[in-house]
Amino acid sequence: MEYFLDMPAQFAEYGPARYVLLPVPYDGTSTYVKGADKGPQALIDASDSIELYDVEEEFEVYRQGIHTAAAVTELDSPEQMVQAVQKRVQGYLQEGKMAVVLGGEHSVSIGSIYAYREKYPNLSVLQLDAHADMREEYHDSPYNHACVMKRVKERCPVVQVGIRSVCIEELPELDPQSTVYAHQMHLEKGWMERAVSHLTEDVYITIDLDALDPSLLPSTGTPYPGGMEWRQVLDLLELVNSRKRIVGFDVVELCPNPHEKSSDVLAAVLLYRILSKIGKKRP
């Protein structure tokens, strides 16, 4: 697997790198369009088209070092995958790195968040997603992609943004104050402030790419209309970064289509933009 970005090799070395990208090519519990296991490689491939200078942030975060780790291979069951991701992320955190998980379906986030919760006791999680993912279990598994945020909520507070697909059994799990439904973004001017106000100082961001409207990012396993706009996502991330400390994040649910590459590029640009915001704030 080639490394993220077309950058000089010394900035991709593990030793001095501040950031470690961990690919998790897992798609074992998805229930609609299969192919999210190809997402990490598609994102990495698309990153070759990105300029190293972030014109919006006026910053070259790659100089802080971005290492692309070997992909997680323990993928026989969701439980095994979660444990393997947690162990890998724990190791990177112990060595002072920021681990960024690349999915894969959304269940890959569970192990990463568990590891971050151990390091940051005051952690909260900001979820950008079309779906609530608050089922107790789905298809006989508590680690199904539809159960991710239920598992996370058992460990730390959750703020959900962009939600527009919920089953009625999930409603009791959704806090009206810390849930921003997609339709509310058009009605409530202060929705960003409300979302950020419910986050703790240390924030982990999990980005299911189907949070974005499918007109912007069609290549995802469960696209749903009425999603977030590009600028809404970036403005929210900027507000979080300015008010809180982003300690880690993941980007999941890219389901690449060989005939549609803009989704892959968007995912890669989004990942690099988040790193630029974090790196610029904490040089």
Side-chain angles (χ1 to χ4, degrees), residues 185-242:
M185 296 177 182
H186 304 285
L187 304 172
E188 180 185 340
K189 292 183 178 179
W191 67 265
M192 288 190 194
E193 293 280 351
R194 174 162 67 91
V196 174
S197 71
H198 290 280
L199 294 169
T200 59
E201 178 61 27
D202 295 325
V203 178
Y204 182 101
I205 302 175
T206 179
I207 301 177
D208 184 329
L209 290 167
D210 65 28
L212 287 147
D213 191 81
S215 64
L216 295 173
L217 193 141
S219 297
T220 186
T222 48
Y224 205 90
M228 298 180 71
E229 301 170 0
W230 174 250
R231 183 49 55 182
Q232 288 179 318
V233 171
L234 293 186
D235 289 350
L236 175 60
L237 295 175
E238 178 60 28
L239 186 62
V240 175
N241 191 51
S242 66

Side-chain angles (χ1 to χ4, degrees), residues 29-129:
T29 75
S30 62
T31 51
Y32 186 41
V33 180
K34 289 287 189 179
D37 56 317
K38 307 296 193 303
Q41 187 62 60
L43 187 156
I44 291 169
D45 290 345
S47 72
D48 283 352
S49 68
I50 299 175
E51 296 291 352
L52 300 179
Y53 176 71
D54 188 319
V55 67
E56 185 167 327
E57 297 298 325
E58 299 180 321
F59 193 66
E60 290 187 314
V61 70
Y62 82 92
R63 293 183 178 277
Q64 295 179 347
I66 305 172
H67 175 74
T68 304
V72 171
T73 57
E74 297 90 338
L75 307 174
D76 290 340
S77 70
E79 293 80 5
Q80 183 191 51
M81 178 274 298
V82 167
Q83 292 173 2
V85 172
Q86 182 175 0
K87 183 176 180 180
R88 290 281 293 276
V89 172
Q90 284 172 333
Y92 299 136
L93 295 181
Q94 289 170 0
E95 295 187 358
K97 313 292 188 183
M98 176 182 286
V100 179
V101 168
L102 310 183
E105 62 169 68
H106 205 170
S107 60
V108 307
S109 305
I110 299 173
S112 179
I113 294 170
Y114 282 2
Y116 271 94
R117 174 62 176 78
E118 291 177 0
K119 183 175 177 64
Y120 300 96
N122 193 38
L123 188 75
S124 59
V125 175
L126 173 62
Q127 171 200 11
L128 275 60
D129 204 325

Side-chain angles (χ1 to χ4, degrees), residues 127-276:
Q127 171 200 11
L128 275 60
D129 204 325
H131 308 87
D133 291 345
M134 279 288 188
R135 286 176 165 89
E136 178 60 41
E137 66 174 35
Y138 195 59
H139 289 191
D140 301 319
S141 173
Y143 295 106
N144 188 283
H145 70 102
C147 311
V148 175
M149 301 316 296
K150 174 64 173 177
R151 300 286 78 79
V152 172
K153 190 180 178 185
E154 293 168 348
R155 304 283 180 104
C156 58
V158 170
V159 174
Q160 301 176 283
V161 174
I163 307 301
R164 52 196 187 275
S165 177
V166 180
C167 77
I168 195 165
E169 290 80 12
E170 293 175 296
L171 286 178
E173 298 292 341
L174 302 183
D175 181 352
Q177 294 304 311
S178 57
T179 302
V180 179
Y181 294 100
H183 67 274
Q184 293 176 326
M185 296 177 182
H186 304 285
L187 304 172
E188 180 185 340
K189 292 183 178 179
W191 67 265
M192 288 190 194
E193 293 280 351
R194 174 162 67 91
V196 174
S197 71
H198 290 280
L199 294 169
T200 59
E201 178 61 27
D202 295 325
V203 178
Y204 182 101
I205 302 175
T206 179
I207 301 177
D208 184 329
L209 290 167
D210 65 28
L212 287 147
D213 191 81
S215 64
L216 295 173
L217 193 141
S219 297
T220 186
T222 48
Y224 205 90
M228 298 180 71
E229 301 170 0
W230 174 250
R231 183 49 55 182
Q232 288 179 318
V233 171
L234 293 186
D235 289 350
L236 175 60
L237 295 175
E238 178 60 28
L239 186 62
V240 175
N241 191 51
S242 66
R243 301 278 183 84
K244 309 293 182 178
R245 181 170 68 150
I246 301 173
V247 297
F249 68 99
D250 61 59
V251 178
V252 304
E253 295 284 358
L254 176 64
C255 185
N257 179 339
H259 305 294
E260 194 281 301
K261 294 298 184 181
S262 63
S263 296
D264 307 354
V265 173
L266 187 153
V269 171
L270 179 60
L271 189 154
Y272 196 52
R273 179 62 50 80
I274 298 172
L275 290 179
S276 295

